[in-house]
Amino acid sequence: MQVQGLVDGAVKEVGNILLGKEPQIRLALCCLFARGHLLLEDLPGMGKTTLSHALASVLGLSWKRVQFTSDLLPADILGVSVFDSNDASFTFHPGPIFTQLLLADEINRTTPRTQSALLEAMAEGQVTVEGETRPLPQPFFVIATQNPVHQSGTYPLPESQLDRFLMRLELGYPHPQAERQMFERRHSGAMEISNPRQCIDMEQLEMIRIAVSKVHASENLLDYLQRLVAHTRQSPEFEVGLSPRGALALLDCAKTWAAMHNRGHVVPEDLQAVLPAVAAHRLVPSGDYAGDGDALVDLLRREVDVIGR
Amino acid sequence: MNVQQQVPRNALMWIIISLFALVAPHVSRLPVWVLAVYVVAVVWRLQVHRGRWSFPGRWVKVAMTVSGFIGIYASYGTLVGLEPTVALLLTAFALKFIELSQRKDAYVLLFLGYFICITEFLFSQDLLITLYSVLNVLLVTTALVALHQPGQNQFNRGTIRLAGVMLLQAVPLMLVLFFVFPRFGPLWTVPLKSHTAKTGMSDFMKPGDVASLSQSADVAFRVKFDGEIPEKSSLYWRGLVFSRLEQDVWSGLGYYDVPLSEQRPEPVATSGRPLRYTVIMESTQQNWLYGLHYAEARSAGVLQSSDYRMVSPAPLETEYMYRVQSWTDVPVELELSDWRRRTETKLPPQGNPRTRKLARDMRAQAGSDELFVQQVLDKFNLEEYVYTLRPGALSGSNRIDQFLLETRRGFCEHYASAFVFMMRAAGVPARVVAGYQGGEVNPLNRTVIVHQFDAHAWAEVWLENQGWVRVDPTSAVSPLRIQMGLEEAMASEGSFLAAAPLSPLRYRGIPLLNQLRLRYDALTYRWQSWVVGFDSEQQFDLLHSMFGEISTRIFATLLLGSWALVLVPVAISLFMKRDTHPGSPLDKYYRMFCERMAGLGLVRVPGETPGQFAQRTMAELPAFGEQLQHITGLYNTLAYAGEMDKAGLAQFARAVKRFKPNRRRALVEEDNTI
Amino acid sequence: MDSVQTTVERHRSSVRKWVRNRFGKWVNRRIPPAREVTLDQRRIFIFPSRTGLFFGCSLLVMLVAAINFENNLSYALTFLLATLFVVATLHTYANLSGLTIRAVRAQAAFPGQQSEFLVMVERSKQRDHYALYLKWPGSSEAMVNLVDEDSVKVQLHMPVDKRGWFHPGRLLVESTYPLGLLRCWTWIDLDLYALVYPRPLSSAELPGLATDTPDGAAAMVMGNDDFYGFRDYRKGDSLRQAHWKGFAKGQALQTKQYTAYADRSVWLDWELFAGMGVEQRLSHLCYWVLAFDERREEYGLRLPGVTIAPAVGEKHREQVLKELALFGIGDKSR
């Protein structure tokens, strides 16, 4: 009851700012609860920044934003040692990465070198600058955004790097009703709602994690998961199937999803709920298949039998 | 290497197992060094497998092959004959194993393995050996299957199961072929077994021979009478006739000792109902057969000798079955030819003067041959003669004198020999007959089991107007031997089977063991009479009784029909085969539920969870809402909430079984609710 | 004498060719090309293998032994093995029957390289299938089991030579499981083609480089791709690009400079290589496609009738190479 209550509160709070996007907000929270990094892929102006800022506020996390540009250097994110001529020594100026929630905006605008510096830090939870390793604050989340339309001068993340993001979400255009509400708010000047209030503190975050770790995944469910994963590796529509890391990510998210709905065990619906966000960006369609990752996920959900034989 | 030529590790292990299993029954016939070759071969090949050693080079192989030949020659003194050939085959089998690297080598090896199974049958067709060979065939077949399961490096029970299933599927057709395939005679003469240590009668007899045979509990033959079994005391199984005495050794007449005119015996005028019976002899590697005098064989291929014995043209290499009819009281050879009379009264020119004198005196006193016989028997009976397995050694040149007048202790051959000597000394035609007397009746199948210790020697005397008459001097000394058997006759002496302490026959007193022994013996008899002894005659009888007149058409129909009868079910079982990996019972019941729903036109799509399916169907069939919810709830709890237990499963199964929706009722109830 | 022999030889070879042709046509009729093929009795051939014939000979020897020794158990064993042979027919057939072979994809390759052909073997029933042998004439071979999985992907490699679509011919699917006595096989024509690119042919300089920038030079702009050199620190330069190490050694503060190729669009144009043969032109274009792709620079393609806008990335490269490969060739014709 407690977890669901907390989650519902947080979703409502964020939903006040980002109208009509409750499912995405819920998934984003799920991603953060599962200690994963989030990739938001959408056109500019869809509320990516708003969402990440609101998430940071709701969870009471320190927050920084880096706009990725083509001339951004790894040092611009990680930090740099500056020589102080007064006491003739180097002092470390930490980069923006030293925060709890980093919004990496338009990550595909920067060079692969800078991208991989960020991704390495994400994977390891620490930063190595000039031979010295410094731990990142805990918890540490990255919400990266990426423009899906291929524009000139961009460097789309390679598929292998996409695997580092636990989930990929698309926000999409708002529902007409929500959009109308937005217009009305702006008209009435009520848009300037300051930051949403914090709903979940560190202690509660920890509690949610404990609840997740206690969620039971039965044999039947694991069988279903294995059938899903096996299908991606065997069907001709898939060029690249789900990696073991991807399969584990699915299970983690499904467990978190179950906990977020106050259930002590995972049901197939949980897996199906998180499947598009977790799996779509990890799947590569084979050359002859017309659809993209989302189509593959859809195929997966339709074709793999929930009930074992 | 070509992927098709690789030998999986699994197959290598099965081959090693079959290797040892195949050689095991041959061990007693093989020199020890052949077994050493097997151990070396397996160790070498395994070291190759582990990458420690390499395959033998060409010259090493040549050297091993040559030394194999030399070794066999050194051990057997010859390379021809069955034992050396088989030993050579087995050695080649082991050597071939060392160089096993490709699948084609394995084929050669395994087909050789099948052949080695066959060679075992040439030595024995015993029931146990057959069962063991079935195991060997299974192992070799399993190795063959494993050879075609690439990438299987662990023992897989499925491999041996498939081999077993295929062999079982092959059995019915095998039986049809077995009973239908025409039996020819041999196409050419084949290497025979060397005549080693087979217990049984030999074609000569000296004092002590039969006594030593009495130490053996081996079965000599089994007899099945068509009618009642005659009195045990009348069962004289006549096998050998000894007409010649030279240096204290009795022997039979050779083929060339009998003049051409005497080769064919005078026909016996038989009358009355004969005794009919079937004999299955164990392998003797001798030619002669046993029967109750006067016996005529009913089986083709059995010859009759000039002294009215039954003889097989070839030595009995394996078990041999023949049918006989006997007239036990017809006179035989009423007219004795001069040559025959001369032969049957001939004695060595010198020796045993006291016996000769005694015989002549007694004959003179008796007045007739018949009375003379009776008086000699009376002498054995009334004077202190002892029937014993431990007669003590006789020595010197007058052994019959020594036995008859001094030691007076002897076994049947002493009495028979002395009796015939006395008859011949008095000019009465007489000869020693060897064979078996009595036998054990197996109450389970009414067969008579004749053991080696039933070996016996007696005499035949030719009397005017009576022909050859059987006289058993032993019965005069020890009537118990004839009426009850050797065991009772030797009860006081305790010498029965003294040399065979483990023989099951010694434990006849223990009912359970005895029952087991007799049961096994009955089984062996059945085995021998149906499988081992199956011959063209039996084949003809069988086919005739089943199909009447045998024509090509019936033959073809029989073959094709039986093949169809067996292969069609096999094909169906193969092609209609359902899942070999059955799912959980829980899912099975849920699928049953889904099938019932599908009957209503509500088909669950694969990706639909039980919850989603229930929601959809409940909207369609509100009348069943409660049941659908109940079943789905139970399934979800059992499948996902980790509360899977037997009681829950049973409850779920009950709920599903009770759920019998019916479209019309569903609609009617829907109407009602509306 | 000689001429007679050659005539006979020629005659024989023409007969053989005729037979092969007829067989090919017959097989084509029986097993038409398809994206996926399920093996059934129309497609499966079965015949004793060489091993099977050898086994038959062994059986004959055993039978002779049985006859000569008049040994009934030898007869029995011989007949058992003979009927095992018959039963194996069904098992061998069942091992191949019901399998579905599906063409998954063929990897595009350059001439002389090995193209990877991917097919999937699936079972319809939960029966174990062992030792399925797959091979195209001239390709690598594969031996797979279907025991724990319901389907398995098989990769076969085969060298390709000519630009365009490459069809590997008929795929041999064979099995001698379980006893090796019978060979059960089928030839299936899968609708599977590998794209063969033109052979890349280097040219030292891209003649008359056509770019969007008027001067046509490969303009270099400051970026952060490659370290280029130092210049004196000016106010406004990023502190993070300052050369602090040099500064610590007492040098004047300098700024590290990086270069990147500017966002420019190179057009790889058919006309750049005017005067050369078709294949040579395509080969040169192919070389430059690879060169620009490696440098992650944008490039477009202009062929007669084909224009692809400049872009960069894997998909773009494949699209461009495909156009080069199929230039002047109808789709999937051979």
Side-chain angles (χ1 to χ4, degrees), chain B residues 101-131:
Chain B
S101 70
Q102 296 206 347
R103 202 152 88 177
K104 54 185 185 213
D105 303 324
Y107 288 133
V108 174
L109 201 66
L110 292 174
F111 296 167
L112 199 59
Y114 283 131
F115 198 79
I116 287 170
C117 283
I118 282 206
T119 61
E120 178 56 35
F121 292 143
L122 302 182
F123 293 101
S124 166
Q125 303 195 72
D126 188 69
L127 188 57
L128 288 177
I129 284 291
T130 309
L131 289 177

Side-chain angles (χ1 to χ4, degrees), chain A residues 230-245:
Chain A
H231 193 79
T232 67
R233 295 171 190 171
Q234 287 167 5
S235 287
E237 289 87 359
F238 297 81
E239 165 100 35
V240 177
L242 270 186
S243 61
R245 193 199 305 181

Side-chain angles (χ1 to χ4, degrees), chain B residues 54 72 80 94 117 211 248 251 263 309 319 339 343 352 362 364 369 401 405 430 444 467 478 503 556 581 619:
Chain B
S54 58
I72 298 290
V80 288
C117 283
D248 291 321
S251 60
Q263 288 283 6
R309 290 178 301 122
E319 293 86 343
W339 174 82
T343 309
N352 301 309
M362 284 177 78
D369 290 350
D401 282 358
L405 304 168
L444 293 168
S478 168
S503 165
H581 310 286

Side-chain angles (χ1 to χ4, degrees), chain A residues 216-221 223-224 227 265-269 272 300-309, chain B residues 579 581-584 586-587 590-591 604-612 635-636 638-642:
Chain A
H216 168 75
S218 72
E219 293 290 318
N220 278 49
L221 185 103
D223 286 345
Y224 177 47
R227 279 195 295 277
H265 60 270
V266 188
V267 293
E269 282 89 342
Q272 293 189 351
L300 204 55
R301 199 162 51 176
R302 270 185 291 115
E303 289 198 346
V304 177
D305 205 329
V306 180
I307 310 295
R309 277 199 181 273
Chain B
D579 299 355
H581 310 286
S584 78
L586 182 65
D587 289 345
Y590 189 76
R591 285 192 176 277
R604 191 184 70 87
V605 293
E608 207 168 8
T609 66
Q612 291 157 354
Y635 180 82
N636 275 340
L638 291 168
Y640 302 117

Side-chain angles (χ1 to χ4, degrees), chain B residues 603-620:
Chain B
V603 181
R604 191 184 70 87
V605 293
E608 207 168 8
T609 66
Q612 291 157 354
F613 184 53
Q615 247 174 4
R616 181 161 68 88
T617 50
M618 268 156 67
E620 293 261 340

Side-chain angles (χ1 to χ4, degrees), chain A residues 70 72 76 111-112 234 288, chain C residues 35 102 104 120 224 240 296:
Chain A
S70 63
L72 196 73
D76 295 328
T111 57
Q234 287 167 5
D288 325 334
Chain C
R35 197 70 195 150
R102 189 182 297 177
V104 178
M120 176 121 80
N224 61 0
R240 302 189 199 287
R296 297 187 85 176

Side-chain angles (χ1 to χ4, degrees), chain A residues 10-301:
Chain A
V11 171
K12 201 171 157 236
E13 199 66 29
V14 179
N16 267 337
I17 295 174
L18 198 66
L19 296 172
K21 294 281 172 235
E22 272 198 27
Q24 284 90 336
I25 295 166
R26 215 172 264 282
L27 280 168
L29 279 172
C30 174
C31 178
L32 300 187
F33 292 153
R35 295 188 157 225
H37 306 292
L38 180 66
L39 179 66
L40 289 174
E41 204 173 77
D42 224 323
L43 296 167
M46 301 297 252
K48 290 175 293 203
T49 314
T50 316
L51 174 62
S52 50
H53 195 183
L55 284 175
S57 310
V58 156
L59 298 178
L61 303 172
S62 65
W63 183 79
K64 270 185 192 139
R65 173 167 182 268
V66 178
Q67 178 68 42
F68 279 51
T69 54
S70 63
D71 58 350
L72 196 73
L73 288 173
D76 295 328
I77 306 170
L78 306 181
V80 70
S81 294
V82 173
F83 186 74
D84 191 341
S85 45
N86 293 339
D87 49 8
S89 66
F90 283 98
T91 44
F92 182 69
H93 289 225
I97 200 165
F98 288 87
T99 182
Q100 285 174 316
L101 198 154
L102 176 75
L103 176 63
D105 225 349
E106 302 214 65
I107 190 169
N108 55 340
R109 284 218 159 264
T110 194
T111 57
R113 222 155 51 105
T114 314
Q115 285 174 357
S116 47
L118 172 68
L119 293 166
E120 268 170 48
M122 274 164 58
E124 284 159 23
Q126 59 188 25
V127 167
T128 305
V129 179
E130 278 156 24
E132 205 172 322
T133 302
R134 295 163 209 278
L136 291 171
Q138 281 299 319
F140 173 68
F141 299 113
V142 172
I143 297 180
T145 72
Q146 173 163 266
N147 195 327
V149 176
H150 175 73
Q151 294 167 316
S152 89
T154 57
Y155 305 88
L157 286 178
E159 269 109 20
S160 57
Q161 305 282 37
L162 285 177
D163 208 27
R164 303 211 187 266
F165 291 97
L166 184 61
M167 281 192 189
R168 186 192 65 178
L169 287 176
E170 282 163 33
L171 291 177
Y173 295 110
H175 193 262
Q177 245 176 321
E179 202 162 19
R180 172 64 68 89
Q181 206 181 341
M182 221 162 73
F183 298 156
E184 281 164 4
R185 269 202 201 167
R186 169 59 63 93
H187 183 68
S188 64
M191 187 62 193
E192 315 309 324
I193 302 177
S194 56
N195 285 346
R197 69 183 170 83
Q198 180 177 3
C199 301
I200 299 170
D201 60 21
M202 279 298 156
E203 221 166 280
Q204 285 165 324
L205 201 59
E206 200 47 46
M207 192 198 79
I208 292 172
R209 276 196 186 146
I210 289 168
V212 169
S213 68
K214 282 184 183 160
V215 169
H216 168 75
S218 72
E219 293 290 318
N220 278 49
L221 185 103
L222 295 179
D223 286 345
Y224 177 47
L225 176 63
Q226 278 199 309
R227 279 195 295 277
L228 283 171
V229 173
H231 193 79
T232 67
R233 295 171 190 171
Q234 287 167 5
S235 287
E237 289 87 359
F238 297 81
E239 165 100 35
V240 177
L242 270 186
S243 61
R245 193 199 305 181
L248 281 176
L250 251 180
L251 183 60
D252 285 346
C253 290
K255 280 168 98 171
T256 313
W257 194 258
M260 283 165 68
H261 293 81
N262 266 1
R263 225 174 313 100
H265 60 270
V266 188
V267 293
E269 282 89 342
D270 296 329
L271 267 177
Q272 293 189 351
V274 298
L275 191 62
V278 178
H281 63 290
R282 298 170 202 260
L283 296 173
V284 180
S286 68
D288 325 334
Y289 186 68
D292 58 356
D294 290 302
L296 284 179
V297 166
D298 199 44
L299 189 86
L300 204 55
R301 199 162 51 176

